[in-house]
Amino acid sequence: MRGLSSSKKMIPIVEGLFEWPSESPRLIASRCPLCGSVQFPKSSVCNNPDCTHDATPEEIKLSEEGILYSYDIHMYDLREPFSYHKAPYAIGAIELPEGIIILARLTRYEGLKIGMRMRLKIDRLYEDDENVYLTYFFEPVEDGGEEK
Amino acid sequence: MTESAVVSATITGWKSAGEPEPAAEILAQLAVKTLRSAGLRPADIDAIISTTSAMPFDHPSFLSTPAQHLAHRVAGKIGTHGIVSMNVSGACASAAAAFAIADSMIKAGRFKKVLVLGYDNSPRGFYYSFASYLDTDTMIGYPLKVVGAVNPTYWAMWARRRAYETGKSIEDIKELMATIKATLSQYGALNPYARYRKVFTVQDVLASPVVDDPLHLYMISAVSRGGGAVLITDMETARGLTDKPVKIAASTAGSPMYGEPSPRLTYFTTAGGKNAKPPFAEWRKPIEDAYRMAGITAEDIDIMEVHDTSAFHVINWIDQAMGWEREETDKLIRSGETRRNGKLPINLSGGTSSFGEAVYAQALMMIYELLLQLRGQAGERQAKKDLKTGMLTAYGAYGSYGTIILEKAW
């Protein structure tokens, strides 16, 4: 991905949430071929109670833009083993065109407003001696929204 | 269907979490005390339904821990002739779920006397919900690892969204939440079982550090340890054991609802756009089920004990239970009508706000308070109105819910 480089190995914090390695990574989800129900992270079982569940959901990539449904500004550091989440940081609920709301770290915690357009950005979460760990963020589109 | 009733109940005082103590021993003492207050012996009961516990365990090879088998441990301690024993889990709504199962057993006519037990002793500090290293399902628990979402993250997002939808400022909902905490602290101060007895002002609450904006520290409940026991029987048996039987008009449980838009604890994803139901539909469902089961409407509720791991929960429970325009909820709280002399007293126990949360036992302390209130035994906390019907609502992580409606039956 442009603007993201390191001599260390870059790996996702959790496998299977977004495409990696990729020039323009997107979030990986699933859609039921029968009823269209979308799930993130992807699932091998449909989650719509009214669907017959007679087919296996297929992998899809989610839209890169959504709307900020709500957010939290988290003000204290987490303890081990999650202490790499350094406060303050914001977590947002992003409403995507696929008809789901997903949680995401936001790239900043100031100037946020419910209803603003947000765009996906894969970025560094933390690093240790060997690896750079990546996660998915969303950032306000008004802020530029482009990779560096 | 057989009518069921609560005969007796006991709880421990709620204390700080993370102090080692013999869990099953404490529960066994409560069990005996609860049975003896009804004139019964362990040999008289048909079943024990207990919650499990969130207690951590030290070694990864223990796939099955003593904390998950409190019913059997207590049965062994108090002595039985080999009765039915089961252990139930539903996060913070565990005890409400255990109660609903026991109630169903009585209502079905198969059992006459069932003891419901619950105990918890949570790890200290902010609660982390995360999967076992052997459970790699990333749908659950992983928002903590991947996006740093803790439990108050979700509560903060709900509070902020409600402010947005009602056209109010963040300061407005902060002040409303601080009002709730200040009110509850006055009742906690009067409850000998509550862990926190300090009275807070609105200013005190707003001066406490912001932890998950808009939530300040004193708007969030601590974790505690404590336990409780409740004896329920069929109504005919109850009338023989107490002159103040409390009818179980309804007991329901709920779970994740397809189409719920509000971010749900421990999950990444809820429904959006045209797929979304109205927010908190899955909170309302078990309440509506309970109203139907009891044959009543919201207007019949005289008093509530609502599960308040944050001050926002109180607001949301009133929104969902009463089915009002949300402005009416705000007015009810600000006008003091949720106090003991108000028209809808809420959490006269002091709430989880004053107890802290002994997660898997929490609904038992709420049942205990409703029992005291309906029987007119709550002393300085007693509601100053005629009480006939009380409702309890419980909410927990993973999308677990429970509602209990109790009615005077004498």
Side-chain angles (χ1 to χ4, degrees), chain B residues 100-168:
Chain B
I101 289 170
D103 182 38
S104 301
M105 293 164 74
I106 305 269
K107 283 191 163 80
R110 260 189 80 187
F111 297 82
K112 287 196 175 301
K113 304 185 199 78
V114 181
L115 196 56
V116 180
L117 303 175
Y119 172 87
D120 212 352
N121 191 353
S122 301
R124 283 173 188 275
F126 283 95
Y127 205 83
Y128 283 175
S129 302
F130 191 62
S132 160
Y133 73 103
L134 292 175
D135 181 354
T136 57
D137 178 3
T138 53
M139 305 280 272
I140 298 291
Y142 278 70
L144 176 58
K145 181 172 186 171
V146 176
V147 304
V150 291
N151 291 355
T153 294
Y154 294 82
W155 311 334
M157 287 193 290
W158 301 339
R160 190 179 294 279
R161 181 71 190 181
R162 187 184 188 275
Y164 170 81
E165 288 179 356
T166 53
K168 302 284 179 66

Side-chain angles (χ1 to χ4, degrees), chain B residues 180 223 314:
Chain B
I180 290 163
V223 287
V314 176

Side-chain angles (χ1 to χ4, degrees), chain A residues 13-15 17 35 37-43 47-49 68-82 84-85 89 91-93 95 98-105 114-115 125 135-136, chain B residues 123-128 130 138-139 142-150 152-154 156-161 164-165 210-214 258 261-264 267-276 279:
Chain A
I13 180 79
V14 169
E15 288 290 339
L17 299 180
C35 72
S37 190
V38 172
Q39 296 185 76
F40 172 81
K42 69 175 179 179
S43 174
N47 67 335
N48 176 358
L68 189 58
Y69 177 85
S70 194
Y71 62 95
D72 162 40
I73 305 169
H74 183 80
M75 300 298 287
Y76 60 93
D77 290 338
L78 300 186
R79 63 176 188 272
E80 294 297 341
F82 306 109
Y84 50 82
H85 287 290
Y89 61 87
I91 301 130
E95 190 164 10
E98 285 80 2
I100 56 172
I101 292 173
I102 68 165
L103 299 193
R105 272 284 298 266
I114 289 177
L125 183 57
T135 196
Y136 66 93
Chain B
R124 283 173 188 275
F126 283 95
Y127 205 83
Y128 283 175
F130 191 62
T138 53
M139 305 280 272
Y142 278 70
L144 176 58
K145 181 172 186 171
V146 176
V147 304
V150 291
T153 294
Y154 294 82
M157 287 193 290
W158 301 339
R160 190 179 294 279
R161 181 71 190 181
Y164 170 81
E165 288 179 356
V210 176
V211 291
D212 284 277
D213 196 9
Y258 186 69
S262 297
R264 179 189 304 123
Y267 290 73
F268 276 107
T269 306
T270 44
K274 63 177 172 49
N275 296 327

Side-chain angles (χ1 to χ4, degrees), chain B residues 176-307:
Chain B
L176 192 61
M177 292 193 288
T179 301
I180 290 163
K181 171 64 184 177
T183 303
L184 294 181
S185 73
Q186 292 170 11
Y187 295 114
L190 298 174
N191 193 336
Y193 293 100
R195 176 176 162 197
Y196 297 102
R197 313 273 176 82
K198 189 181 165 193
V199 174
F200 292 94
T201 65
V202 169
Q203 292 71 29
D204 291 337
V205 179
L206 292 174
S208 69
V210 176
V211 291
D212 284 277
D213 196 9
L215 296 172
H216 289 246
L217 184 63
Y218 293 164
M219 297 171 186
I220 294 172
S221 88
V223 287
S224 292
R225 71 183 203 273
V230 180
L231 173 66
I232 71 176
T233 72
D234 63 286
M235 184 60 84
E236 193 186 337
T237 301
R239 291 197 190 284
L241 296 172
T242 173
D243 55 3
K244 289 187 172 178
V246 172
K247 180 185 167 185
I248 304 169
S251 64
T252 63
S255 61
M257 179 189 283
Y258 186 69
E260 172 64 54
S262 297
R264 179 189 304 123
L265 258 70
T266 72
Y267 290 73
F268 276 107
T269 306
T270 44
K274 63 177 172 49
N275 296 327
K277 291 182 157 63
F280 302 106
E282 71 183 34
W283 290 51
R284 271 196 306 286
K285 169 76 166 42
I287 295 173
E288 286 168 353
D289 288 347
Y291 287 158
R292 263 193 300 279
M293 193 172 172
I296 64 170
T297 65
E299 287 77 52
D300 295 312
I301 301 298
D302 297 313
I303 185 169
M304 290 205 290
E305 280 284 317
V306 302
H307 188 229

